[in-house]
Amino acid sequence: MLTTMLATAKRNYYIAKRVFPWSFIVQRIVIGLYTVLFSYFIYHYMFRGYLDSRFETYTGSSDYITYTILGVSLYTFAVSTLMNVGRSLMNELREGTLEALLLSPCSRKGYFLGNLIEQVGRSFLEFFVVLIVGWLLGAKLLNIKIEQLIIVLILSIFSFFSMGVSLATVMLRTRDTYITQNTLFIIVSLVCGISYPIQYLPTWLQVISHVLPLTHVLELFRKVVIFGDLLWHHWILIIKLVALSLMYLLFGFWWLSRVEKQLIEKTFG
Amino acid sequence: MLIANNLCKVYQLKERKGLFGPKTLKEIMAVNDVSLEIKPGQIIGLLGINGAGKTTTIKMLSALLEPTSGSFSINGIDGIRYPQEIKRIVNVITGGERNIYWRLTARENLEYFASLYNLPRHKLNDSIDELLELVDLKEAADMPVERYSKGMKQRLQIARGLVNDPKFLFLDEPTLGLDVAIAKELRNHVRHLAEKRNKGILLTTHYITEAEELCDWIYVIDKGCIIATGTPSELAYSTKMNTNILVSIPELTSGVKKEIYEIAKVHQAKIEFQENTTDVSVSISAQENLTGQLAHILTSNGLPILHLKIIEPRLEDALIQLSYGGDSIERNISNCESRSYKATS
């Protein structure tokens, strides 16, 4: 697994070095910034800084700008990881290299981890650009406990990776990236509490929120950054997040083995 | 040694009648009771028309696809129980420009694929250099593949197929779309792999001359069934196709004509005489090669042979007859056993 992981990371690095995906990075940062600016404009110029009293009840804070900027930055991080891991196998199929990959006895876990590792730096870059712009717009980020933040980010990577494996399988099954990824990203942006608390949503939509790991990572992230909480105070939330992510991971790999078989029967001659 | 016994593959297709009609399950027997053997150093051909079941057979033997029934083993390893082990000792080379990363260099491609086979780091560099030299890509080793010509890409495919030093190599139409010179070069590589490196090779191709040139033994597959086996020449003769002899002589006496008719009668040969302004052409078509007997009649009667042409049965014609129908093979039968035909020399 380790050899496949390192080899895949190295391969992706070489490809990125030659054809650097600037357009993807810029696109994700710009979308993140637009979302931040949109929330900022709505809050300041439309609602004139007035917040519904329920907002404070739901979030425990009246700082909407910090709330939304944390949401958008982590959403940008999630989208970046999901796109890179999720599209990996479909890219192989499109470039005609999937057959050679499946012919080898390589570890699928190693393959996905390699895809994850190579892009983590770029995902962090996008995440921090949005955070810095958010800080310039008035988000309060200076009380962050670094070690707590690092743990949250590790948990985030794990949960986004797990979702990415499932997404890769869905994309391979449907042979589509565009509709699948954009549908997922729209759902995630609407129901995971990026710009508003999920409690505003109807109960049936909140059910969807709870089965998406991003909702729980965001809750943890905000508790650490806004309230300076220690993570062990939220161990139930962490267990919930890890369990949910594991379910995505295991389901993704289980389904992938079936989809691979179907794909081999239908393609490659 | 690779031994496949009674391999079958049934594909299940779901079909819907109309947009909202009920789904029906359709079964397609892609490979039906295929048994074959490949020894190290042998080049075995698997020939057949499109959709005959060649690629499915290769997919099963390379452990990509699980057979519906039947078994196969490679060097004693059960291919159904241990697919990962099989993947370590086989590889597949396909025609076209797929299965390599265009944005990587040849060296990076080979490094990556070698890592997927978990090859030890210290062996990697030496074996990659050796492979690049073998396929004559050493000078272009550090150039991105997207700048390669079609032939160079195909040569890199060969190197990729050899990256795990496979004991058995499956070549699925490897010269597809290549120009004559590159295809010949590739055939030389294939022969080298079998003769010098002792690789067992299974070759599928639509170019019959390629099979005639390379293969020690051929399996003809049609509608998933092996319908004939033999060496290329055995197969060519097996379908009872005629050898045609065209001979020109200065004149034809009635005595000679009578003797030729007698041979034709004995061998059920078709015979034609054509008188031209300067010579007489004699054409004899029979299942046996009657050249010797004809030459004997002419020379014993003091007739010089001005021109002689022998058209022997070709593998291509035999395959067409086997695949598209002929007298020797009963077409309207459903099971493979009754259709199979063993060529004998």
Side-chain angles (χ1 to χ4, degrees):
Chain A
M1 185 178 89
L2 196 67
T3 320
T4 304
M5 181 182 85
L6 294 175
T8 306
K10 195 173 164 187
R11 179 205 69 177
N12 285 8
Y13 169 72
Y14 285 147
I15 293 174
K17 205 168 67 172
R18 283 194 192 109
V19 197
F20 197 74
W22 281 114
S23 60
F24 271 5
I25 293 172
V26 170
Q27 184 190 346
R28 285 194 291 260
I29 290 175
V30 165
I31 290 173
L33 295 181
Y34 282 163
T35 316
V36 165
L37 284 174
F38 183 74
S39 304
Y40 180 86
F41 276 48
I42 292 267
Y43 177 66
H44 282 289
Y45 302 121
M46 193 170 163
F47 296 115
R48 303 203 171 272
Y50 172 78
L51 276 176
D52 180 347
S53 60
R54 288 178 297 168
F55 181 83
E56 195 167 346
T57 312
Y58 294 152
T59 64
S61 162
S62 55
D63 183 356
Y64 178 72
I65 291 298
T66 307
Y67 180 92
T68 195
I69 278 159
L70 293 181
V72 173
S73 59
L74 206 62
Y75 171 74
T76 309
F77 189 51
V79 168
S80 177
T81 310
L82 282 169
M83 266 185 82
N84 286 298
V85 176
R87 292 162 59 103
S88 54
L89 284 178
M90 264 308 285
N91 285 341
E92 302 277 357
L93 183 66
R94 283 177 179 158
E95 287 176 22
T97 48
L98 186 61
E99 188 181 2
L101 196 74
L102 299 181
L103 270 170
S104 75
C106 76
S107 148
R108 302 291 181 271
K109 295 179 202 81
Y111 172 78
F112 281 119
L113 282 170
N115 278 290
L116 173 81
I117 287 171
E118 191 274 328
Q119 58 80 56
V120 137
R122 291 198 299 273
S123 298
F124 272 127
L125 173 76
E126 295 165 26
F127 171 72
F128 284 117
V129 168
V130 176
L131 268 189
I132 289 165
V133 173
W135 174 69
L136 292 172
L137 290 172
K140 296 182 182 69
L141 306 171
L142 296 178
N143 297 327
I144 298 172
K145 292 185 177 71
I146 295 298
E147 74 286 355
Q148 301 290 305
L149 178 69
I150 289 170
I151 298 170
V152 171
L153 290 177
I154 291 170
L155 286 169
S156 309
I157 292 171
F158 173 61
S159 68
F160 302 154
F161 173 72
S162 304
M163 281 186 79
V165 172
S166 282
L167 180 65
T169 310
V170 174
M171 285 181 172
L172 208 57
R173 177 73 181 82
T174 56
R175 311 257 190 106
D176 161 77
T177 50
Y178 190 78
I179 296 172
T180 310
Q181 80 191 24
N182 289 329
T183 307
L184 177 71
F185 297 156
I186 286 171
I187 292 171
V188 162
S189 67
L190 290 176
V191 304
C192 286
I194 310 294
S195 303
Y196 49 83
I198 59 167
Q199 290 84 346
Y200 281 111
L201 297 168
T203 316
W204 66 271
L205 266 180
Q206 286 185 42
V207 174
I208 300 174
S209 311
H210 285 288
V211 295
L212 291 167
L214 180 60
T215 309
H216 307 295
V217 183
L218 257 176
E219 195 179 339
L220 214 54
F221 185 42
R222 284 178 178 134
K223 288 201 187 299
V224 167
V225 178
I226 298 175
F227 304 107
D229 285 3
L230 295 172
L231 281 170
W232 65 269
H233 289 153
H234 303 286
W235 62 272
I236 293 177
L237 186 60
I238 293 173
I239 288 174
K240 211 190 258 180
L241 171 67
V242 172
L244 195 59
S245 304
L246 268 175
M247 278 170 61
Y248 274 93
L249 192 68
L250 296 175
F251 174 74
F253 280 119
W254 171 79
W255 199 23
L256 179 65
S257 64
R258 298 173 72 91
V259 169
E260 271 183 15
K261 280 182 188 168
Q262 291 168 354
L263 191 79
I264 292 163
E265 287 193 2
K266 288 177 184 167
T267 54
F268 313 141
Chain B
M1 183 157 169
L2 185 154
I3 303 168
N5 291 316
N6 314 105
L7 286 179
C8 293
K9 182 67 196 175
V10 179
Y11 289 128
Q12 293 192 325
L13 288 181
K14 284 177 188 165
E15 281 183 346
R16 191 190 286 276
K17 281 184 182 172
L19 198 58
F20 303 106
K23 271 187 183 175
T24 52
L25 201 65
K26 193 179 168 189
E27 289 196 338
I28 293 173
M29 186 72 114
V31 170
N32 187 1
D33 205 27
V34 165
S35 299
L36 53 83
E37 283 183 11
I38 310 172
K39 290 176 187 148
Q42 254 190 342
I43 304 178
I44 302 294
L46 185 62
L47 306 184
I49 56 172
N50 284 333
K54 305 183 295 288
T55 303
T56 303
T57 305
I58 284 185
K59 280 184 195 175
M60 287 192 284
L61 295 177
S62 55
L64 261 181
L65 200 61
E66 199 177 324
T68 310
S69 64
S71 63
F72 75 97
S73 67
I74 299 179
N75 292 350
I77 302 168
D78 185 330
I80 315 253
R81 287 181 68 186
Y82 305 106
Q84 290 297 88
E85 294 307 309
I86 293 295
K87 284 180 179 182
R88 286 180 207 286
I89 55 170
V90 303
N91 214 327
V92 179
I93 296 169
T94 53
E97 298 169 34
R98 294 181 303 156
N99 289 326
I100 41 175
Y101 295 93
W102 286 30
R103 284 169 182 169
L104 296 181
T105 65
R107 190 182 297 281
E108 288 162 355
N109 262 290
L110 296 180
E111 271 175 12
Y112 179 61
F113 285 111
S115 303
L116 296 184
Y117 288 90
N118 220 357
L119 298 187
R121 186 80 205 160
H122 63 276
K123 276 190 180 175
L124 213 70
N125 290 337
D126 288 345
S127 70
I128 286 171
D129 280 338
E130 197 188 322
L131 283 175
L132 288 167
E133 205 161 307
L134 177 78
V135 296
D136 200 18
L137 282 176
K138 206 157 186 187
E139 281 178 20
D142 298 310
M143 187 197 289
V145 171
E146 57 195 350
R147 290 190 216 155
Y148 279 19
S149 68
K150 205 167 185 173
M152 288 164 87
K153 284 178 192 142
Q154 193 62 31
R155 294 210 300 266
L156 180 58
Q157 276 253 39
I158 296 181
R160 183 202 57 74
L162 294 171
V163 84
N164 59 327
D165 193 19
K167 304 283 176 269
F168 290 87
L169 198 55
F170 307 132
L171 308 179
D172 196 3
E173 298 176 31
T175 53
L176 190 74
L178 295 182
D179 68 40
V180 200
I182 297 166
K184 183 156 183 66
E185 192 185 326
L186 198 139
R187 286 198 292 275
N188 290 338
H189 278 307
V190 173
R191 198 179 293 109
H192 171 87
L193 291 172
E195 288 172 3
K196 308 283 182 216
R197 297 186 153 217
N198 208 31
K199 310 277 180 211
I201 293 173
L202 182 67
L203 169 78
T204 78
T205 179
H206 284 297
Y207 305 122
I208 305 303
T209 47
E210 191 166 277
E212 280 175 319
E213 187 183 330
L214 289 174
C215 296
D216 303 309
W217 192 261
I218 286 174
Y219 292 87
V220 182
I221 188 167
D222 184 43
K223 296 190 177 75
C225 300
I226 299 287
I227 55 167
T229 65
T231 63
S233 61
E234 283 171 1
L235 279 173
Y237 281 98
S238 68
T239 48
K240 297 178 183 168
M241 297 190 64
N242 288 351
T243 301
N244 294 306
I245 307 160
L246 297 169
V247 63
S248 299
I249 45 178
E251 56 179 332
L252 188 64
T253 60
S254 58
V256 171
K257 205 170 183 177
K258 193 180 168 194
E259 282 183 58
I260 294 172
Y261 269 127
E262 275 168 17
I263 303 176
K265 196 177 172 187
V266 171
H267 296 280
Q268 293 175 320
K270 285 178 192 165
I271 191 157
E272 273 179 38
F273 298 99
Q274 190 183 330
E275 286 192 27
N276 307 316
T277 48
T278 55
D279 61 358
V280 179
S281 299
V282 182
S283 161
I284 300 181
S285 175
Q287 277 174 28
E288 284 173 60
N289 189 340
L290 302 177
T291 315
Q293 294 176 57
L294 184 65
H296 176 73
I297 293 169
L298 298 175
T299 49
S300 61
N301 283 283
L303 285 170
I305 296 171
L306 302 174
H307 179 75
L308 175 69
K309 190 176 179 185
I310 304 162
I311 304 166
E312 289 186 283
R314 293 181 310 160
L315 180 60
E316 188 170 8
D317 298 323
L319 281 175
I320 291 168
Q321 196 175 359
L322 285 166
S323 300
Y324 291 104
D327 298 338
S328 60
I329 305 290
E330 180 59 64
R331 305 296 309 170
N332 300 317
I333 41 179
S334 58
N335 86 40
C336 278
E337 208 174 307
S338 54
R339 290 179 67 191
S340 65
Y341 185 83
K342 172 81 170 65
T344 47
S345 44

